[in-house]
Amino acid sequence: MLKDVQTIFEDYRQMMNHLKKKSYEKNMGIFIEKYGHYLTEMTDYVDKAEEKEIAAKELAVCFVDAVDNTFSKGIRKKIPSSLQADLNMYMIYFVFPALLKTEHEHSKLIADALCDEWRSRFKESQFSYADYDFIYNSFREKIFGIF
């Protein structure tokens, strides 16, 4: 299940660099094209399950395990706090909105399970999420008419 899902994060620095309204739209398209199959795998998995909540929780654990195993460093096997902040932002800007953008009937259930698991496993990760349109519409190209 979700084999190599941690690859979702392989371009996180590039995707988050100089994020503006136009680049966010472009980068979201790239994200969905490149990693959308993981979102489909998640929604299909929950679709086929009799217990939807349990299936969503299993996906969340699998996803967070993959991220934790990939990015944990040092003797304590912990993700450095600056990297954790970057991963959190990437989740907020790309993973959750892309999942919700599928408009699948269980996408919110999966997003809730993923968010809960993420927050319980990683310190300093007490965030929520929003859909693509909310984030996209919150970008401003100009500040006070300048730039």
Side-chain angles (χ1 to χ4, degrees):
M1 171 182 4
L2 297 178
K3 184 175 178 359
D4 298 324
V5 72
Q6 71 278 2
T7 61
I8 281 179
F9 293 90
E10 67 188 1
D11 299 327
Y12 80 91
R13 282 190 176 104
Q14 179 183 342
M15 300 279 269
M16 295 293 294
N17 194 23
H18 302 294
L19 203 56
K20 294 184 178 181
K21 195 170 198 166
K22 271 188 167 182
S23 62
Y24 180 59
E25 181 178 26
K26 177 185 168 208
N27 289 350
M28 180 58 79
I30 292 168
F31 179 89
I32 291 171
E33 181 180 316
K34 202 168 180 182
Y35 307 114
H37 62 96
Y38 289 114
L39 307 175
T40 301
E41 186 178 343
M42 289 181 196
T43 55
D44 288 350
Y45 184 78
V46 172
D47 260 348
K48 294 174 184 170
E50 286 187 34
E51 296 289 333
K52 308 297 185 201
E53 292 82 12
I54 292 171
K57 174 71 173 162
E58 290 170 350
L59 285 171
V61 169
C62 180
F63 185 97
V64 174
D65 281 348
V67 172
D68 198 12
N69 292 336
T70 300
F71 293 102
S72 292
K73 297 185 180 350
I75 297 169
R76 296 185 185 152
K77 297 295 272 174
K78 183 180 171 193
I79 298 176
S81 60
S82 61
L83 175 57
Q84 185 64 62
D86 290 345
L87 298 177
N88 291 351
M89 293 302 292
Y90 191 72
M91 290 289 291
I92 293 166
Y93 277 96
F94 290 98
V95 177
F96 290 117
L99 179 59
L100 296 173
K101 199 170 174 55
T102 67
E103 297 183 354
H104 187 274
E105 69 176 302
H106 301 301
S107 62
K108 183 159 176 17
L109 174 68
I110 297 166
D112 286 341
L114 190 54
C115 190
D116 290 345
E117 184 66 21
W118 190 276
R119 288 186 291 202
S120 73
R121 295 271 293 277
F122 301 126
K123 289 186 177 194
E124 315 267 336
S125 297
Q126 297 305 309
F127 59 79
S128 192
Y129 61 85
D131 63 22
Y132 171 80
D133 291 331
F134 181 85
I135 294 173
Y136 179 79
N137 291 325
S138 66
F139 280 100
R140 300 287 180 249
E141 286 299 323
K142 298 180 181 180
I143 300 172
F144 304 122
I146 305 171
F147 305 122

